[in-house]
């Protein structure tokens, strides 16, 4: 039975991979609508022929790696169960200590080692192609350093989260999903609060914006928008990438507006002011809190569904999955498998909501700056430097794009008429 299920799972993965490859490289249409030819949204107006070719190649490769890596992770979790690897890890933990937290930590250590080794090829391919297409400038040793930091940060967080989750499962057997959700609310807010000042600095150096003249312009927009900002932060990303970015992170007193130093080098002051006004819009319109609220709502629904499905699967096929009961740590791959499937299934809805808030932020920024030319040129440069598809395929857009496509953003901006 184990061999039969494993063969079917691998076969389905290969069929899915073939479909994705054919869709991305032969079926999907990324040509620009005829009416937009020659407009600011036409990549031929701001990319040369080589950049156009590279952007299509790189985008297809990135999208292929994404769509192959997600079900690959599902396959990994499934095989851990049916071959009894998860049960073996749990026995190692139980044989080492009688303390549940220590047992969980030992289980997770071996689980993370196995996960890292199995998923590493996709991580490395992503790094390799970003280097090949001159997006990443990071050395392999520096990249591996970030990988090691990722491993230990995620491991320590998961020891806390999984220990608490399985204690809740054992204590509240019928309503564990509700108790786990209630416990996740303060924990999620706490993580978002400490991320800008504890977690992010592990990877990069954050400093107040060095260009004080530009900072004064940005703070003037912030004052106009009633944002109590005292600093804009820049982060040293030029040692890792040529890509451009800016973002808002954190909650409450730890909220930060951050600019990559690559953005400071590549964009003009007017273009940066538009980007900053866009990021300020997320603060003004409370998008961070909307994001937290929608995330917690989805988590509530997800945990309820996971609890229902896990109970049925363990009752009917617990022996094949080598799981004695839901509340045993050996069921973790099943929990993660169901979580990942639900997150993927919900991503079109989540991305759709995100694209709506990003559109509102664009509208706010252009109303604030009244400079559509700078806004259009900023988006053009973001696309050119990042080798992004201006008009991505439909499935890529709904499953991967948390922002509107560049063709939509630029086309909307070119219809904007500045106020007199």
């Amino acid at each position: 039975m184990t061999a039969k299920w494993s063969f079917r799972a691998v076969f389905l993965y290969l069929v899915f991979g073939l479909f994705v490859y054919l869709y991305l490289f032969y079926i999907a249409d990324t040509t620009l609508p005829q009416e937009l030819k020659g407009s600011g949204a036409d990549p031929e107006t701001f990319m040369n022929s080589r950049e156009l070719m590279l952007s299509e190649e790189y985008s297809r490769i990135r999208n292929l790696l994404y769509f192959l890596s997600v079900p690959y992770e599902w396959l990994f979790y499934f095989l851990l169960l049916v071959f009894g690897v998860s049960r073996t890890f749990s026995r190692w933990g139980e044989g080492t200590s009688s303390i549940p937290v220590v047992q969980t930590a030992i289980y997770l250590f071996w689980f993370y080692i196995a996960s890292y080794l199995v998923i590493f090829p996709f991580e490395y391919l992503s790094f390799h192609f970003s280097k090949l297409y001159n997006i990443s400038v990071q050395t392999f040793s520096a990249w591996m350093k970030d990988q090691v930091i990722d491993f230990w940060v995620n491991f320590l967080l998961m020891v806390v989260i999984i220990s608490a989750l399985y204690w809740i499962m054992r204590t509240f057997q019928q309503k564990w999903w509700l108790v786990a959700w209630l416990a996740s609310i303060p924990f999620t807010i706490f993580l978002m609060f400490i991320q800008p000042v504890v977690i992010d600095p592990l990877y990069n150096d954050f400093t107040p914006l060095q260009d004080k003249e530009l900072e004064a312009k940005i703070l003037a927009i912030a004052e106009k928008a009633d944002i109590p900002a005292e600093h804009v932060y820049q982060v040293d990303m030029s040692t890792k990438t040529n890509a451009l970015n800016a973002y808002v992170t954190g909650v409450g007193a730890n909220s930060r507006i951050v600019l990559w130093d690559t953005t400071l080098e590549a964009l003009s002051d007017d273009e940066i002011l538009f980007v900053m006004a866009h990021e300020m819009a997320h603060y003004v319109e409370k998008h961070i809190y909307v994001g937290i609220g929608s995330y917690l709502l989805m988590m509530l629904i997800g945990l309820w569904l996971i609890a229902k499905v896990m109970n049925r699967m363990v009752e009917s096929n617990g022996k094949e999955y080598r799981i004695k009961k839901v509340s045993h740590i050996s069921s973790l791959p099943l929990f993660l498998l169901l979580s990942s499937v639900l997150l993927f299934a919900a991503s079109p809805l989540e991305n759709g909501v995100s694209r709506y808030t990003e559109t509102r932020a664009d509208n706010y920024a252009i109303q604030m700056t009244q400079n559509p030319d700078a806004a259009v040129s900023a988006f053009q440069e973001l696309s050119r430097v990042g080798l992004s598809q201006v008009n991505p395929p439909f499935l890529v857009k709904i499953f991967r794009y948390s922002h509107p496509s560049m063709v939509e953003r630029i086309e909307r901006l070119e219809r904007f008429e500045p106020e007199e």
Side-chain angles (χ1 to χ4, degrees), residues 45-57:
T45 64
F46 58 88
M47 291 187 190
N48 59 41
S49 58
R50 184 173 183 275
E51 290 169 338
L52 286 169
M53 178 191 68
L54 293 177
S55 68
E56 286 297 317
E57 287 181 359

Side-chain angles (χ1 to χ4, degrees), residues 306-339:
I306 289 170
K308 295 293 184 184
V309 175
M310 282 186 75
N311 283 334
R312 289 187 179 181
M313 292 182 71
V314 172
E315 286 174 4
S316 58
N317 299 103
K319 183 179 294 186
E320 287 81 0
Y321 297 145
R322 317 293 175 90
I323 301 173
K324 291 182 178 180
K325 51 186 177 180
V326 169
S327 59
H328 193 271
I329 188 65
S330 59
S331 71
L332 180 61
L334 180 58
F335 178 87
L336 295 177
L337 169 61
L338 295 173
S339 299

Side-chain angles (χ1 to χ4, degrees), residues 10-162:
V10 172
F11 178 75
L12 287 174
Y13 176 73
L14 293 175
V15 170
F16 175 80
L18 178 62
F19 166 75
V20 169
Y21 174 78
L22 293 174
Y23 174 76
L24 292 175
F25 285 83
Y26 295 99
I27 300 173
D29 183 14
T30 60
T31 57
L32 204 67
Q34 189 62 38
E35 61 271 18
L36 295 179
K37 292 287 186 180
S39 69
D42 186 350
E44 293 186 3
T45 64
F46 58 88
M47 291 187 190
N48 59 41
S49 58
R50 184 173 183 275
E51 290 169 338
L52 286 169
M53 178 191 68
L54 293 177
S55 68
E56 286 297 317
E57 287 181 359
Y58 182 58
S59 296
R60 285 171 179 162
I61 290 170
R62 281 198 311 157
N63 293 329
L64 178 64
L65 288 176
Y66 169 78
F67 282 111
L68 290 180
S69 65
V70 173
Y72 180 78
E73 183 182 343
W74 303 346
L75 180 63
F76 167 68
Y77 294 146
F78 179 75
L79 295 180
L80 280 184
L81 289 172
V82 297
F83 282 107
V85 179
S86 179
R87 181 60 183 155
T88 299
F89 291 163
S90 67
R91 284 174 179 165
W92 290 353
E94 292 164 356
T96 304
S97 173
S98 60
I99 303 172
V101 174
V102 177
Q103 292 175 356
T104 300
I106 293 170
Y107 174 93
L108 287 173
F109 176 76
W110 291 110
F111 178 86
Y112 261 83
I113 291 290
S115 299
Y116 184 79
L117 293 175
V118 170
I119 297 173
F120 180 81
F122 279 99
E123 297 287 340
Y124 177 74
L125 284 173
S126 180
F127 167 72
H128 168 73
F129 283 112
S130 66
K131 285 277 287 185
L132 185 64
Y133 285 86
N134 201 35
I135 301 300
S136 173
V137 296
Q138 197 172 20
T139 64
F140 178 76
S141 59
W143 178 75
M144 280 302 301
K145 178 184 175 183
D146 283 348
Q147 293 287 303
V148 171
I149 293 173
D150 265 342
F151 178 91
W152 287 109
V153 168
N154 290 331
F155 171 73
L156 293 174
L157 281 175
M158 288 297 284
V159 168
V160 175
I161 294 170
I162 299 303

Side-chain angles (χ1 to χ4, degrees), residues 155-198:
F155 171 73
L156 293 174
L157 281 175
M158 288 297 284
V159 168
V160 175
I161 294 170
I162 299 303
S163 296
L165 174 64
Y166 276 83
W167 177 83
I168 291 171
M169 283 182 172
R170 291 190 297 269
T171 308
F172 306 93
Q173 295 185 15
Q174 298 300 318
K175 296 292 184 181
W176 67 262
W177 57 272
L178 180 59
V179 179
W181 178 75
L182 291 172
S184 74
I185 297 174
F187 186 75
T188 299
I189 296 172
F190 173 72
L191 278 183
M192 294 194 69
F193 186 80
I194 67 168
Q195 180 178 334
V197 294
V198 176

